[in-house]
Amino acid sequence: MHLDVLDLRNFYYRTKLGRVAQRAIRDTVVRMWPSAAGQTVVGFGFAAPLMRPYLADARRVLALMPAPQGVMPWPAGMANVAVLCEETAWPLATGIVDRLIMMHGLETSEQPSFVLEEAARVLGPGGRALFIVPSRSGLWARRDGTPFGFGRPFSMRQLETQLKQHDFTIEHSTSALFGPPSGHPFWLRTSDFFERNGRRCSALLTGGVLIVEVSKQQRAPVQGGLGAVVRRPLRVLEGMGQGAPEPALRGKAPTGD
């Protein structure tokens, strides 16, 4: 079940906790993808808060928002690049996307396999995608006061397994949101401390969200026909269908004297 776009907007842009979460996840994304110069960057779900750093140098930036969620104009003060679309029918040509960011699009979908099929379809050769979902063992998934408390949370193994089933190759996995999901001033002030140390001790600490970077697996083309399998075909059938050779010498019929 998707959240309403107004609830997502109010959380990320109008609450202190939402702005902290936005900064923590966006900083992680930018560390992984410091530049997208000349590339097509697409977000699906509610990934708009993470894509502003790419507006300046990307060739094209597009924010796809699923119909059950709703759409809002984005970015503020600039030409709108947000588009309402069906979950399973994105208005994009096959292989056109260089960088794809999905947040609040997979865990809330009732058809996650079809969403991943569309992601694989639009991602071009050499393209990369980031899937950002609530962590099953994190604190943020246990509190419904944030968007990460809705939908299906994942373990890292569950997420990577589902991505591999759709021909994605796992390139890198990490976490973010190591601080508690609290709007108390103390926790908000110390959020940067938790993020820095959480990344260093990620083997011991659990973040609120999982971030998995993937590339699109390219299958080798398969040539059809028997020649693709048999390199040196047998020659036992050669000569069939041709006329029988005439004998070199024909015996003469006996004549009576």
Side-chain angles (χ1 to χ4, degrees):
M1 172 179 166
H2 286 280
L3 291 170
D4 189 271
V5 69
L6 296 180
D7 294 329
L8 293 166
R9 181 199 64 183
N10 291 339
F11 175 75
Y12 282 107
Y13 294 105
R14 298 183 180 179
T15 69
K16 293 181 179 179
L17 181 60
R19 289 193 292 270
V20 165
Q22 177 186 161
R23 184 176 68 248
I25 301 173
R26 187 177 60 205
D27 288 351
T28 303
V29 170
V30 171
R31 278 194 300 272
M32 300 173 74
W33 292 350
S35 174
Q39 297 181 327
T40 296
V41 181
V42 172
F44 178 79
F46 197 75
L50 312 180
M51 298 194 296
R52 182 171 284 275
Y54 303 115
L55 287 171
D57 60 354
R59 178 177 60 183
R60 185 185 297 110
V61 175
L62 186 65
L64 299 179
M65 300 188 183
Q69 167 191 292
V71 67
M72 72 174 194
W74 183 86
M78 301 175 65
N80 177 58
V81 297
V83 177
L84 188 70
C85 72
E86 294 296 332
E87 283 187 303
T88 58
W90 300 1
L92 297 173
T94 298
I96 199 174
V97 177
D98 300 301
R99 294 288 186 269
L100 172 66
I101 303 174
M102 186 179 296
M103 183 170 75
H104 302 309
L106 185 62
E107 74 275 10
T108 53
S109 174
E110 296 180 1
Q111 305 178 81
S113 291
F114 292 105
V115 170
L116 291 177
E117 286 180 7
E118 277 297 274
R121 181 185 67 82
V122 303
L123 200 63
R128 297 289 180 103
L130 287 177
F131 293 92
I132 303 167
V133 299
S135 171
R136 183 178 179 182
S137 56
L139 295 176
W140 290 71
R142 304 175 190 179
R143 181 179 174 185
D144 57 10
T146 79
F148 300 102
F150 293 85
R152 174 196 173 191
F154 289 80
S155 68
M156 188 65 80
R157 177 176 294 181
Q158 288 173 335
L159 179 58
E160 290 182 348
T161 298
Q162 190 160 0
L163 294 174
K164 289 176 181 177
Q165 289 173 349
H166 289 80
D167 293 336
F168 289 113
T169 299
I170 309 300
E171 300 291 346
H172 182 64
S173 302
T174 187
S175 299
L177 295 186
F178 291 95
S182 171
H184 191 280
F186 172 79
W187 298 117
L188 296 176
R189 288 195 305 269
T190 57
S191 60
D192 289 340
F193 169 82
F194 279 102
E195 293 303 315
R196 288 194 305 271
N197 289 277
R199 291 194 302 272
R200 296 169 185 168
C201 307
S202 57
L204 301 175
L205 300 177
T206 301
V209 297
L210 307 176
I211 304 175
V212 176
E213 180 186 20
V214 303
S215 59
K216 185 176 178 180
Q217 181 177 334
Q218 299 295 323
R219 296 183 180 273
V222 178
Q223 298 180 353
L226 187 61
V229 180
V230 182
R231 295 181 181 272
R232 301 179 62 184
L234 299 176
R235 301 182 182 276
V236 295
L237 301 181
E238 287 187 357
M240 290 188 64
Q242 301 178 6
E246 295 290 333
L249 297 175
R250 290 181 177 273
K252 294 183 179 181
T255 58
D257 292 331

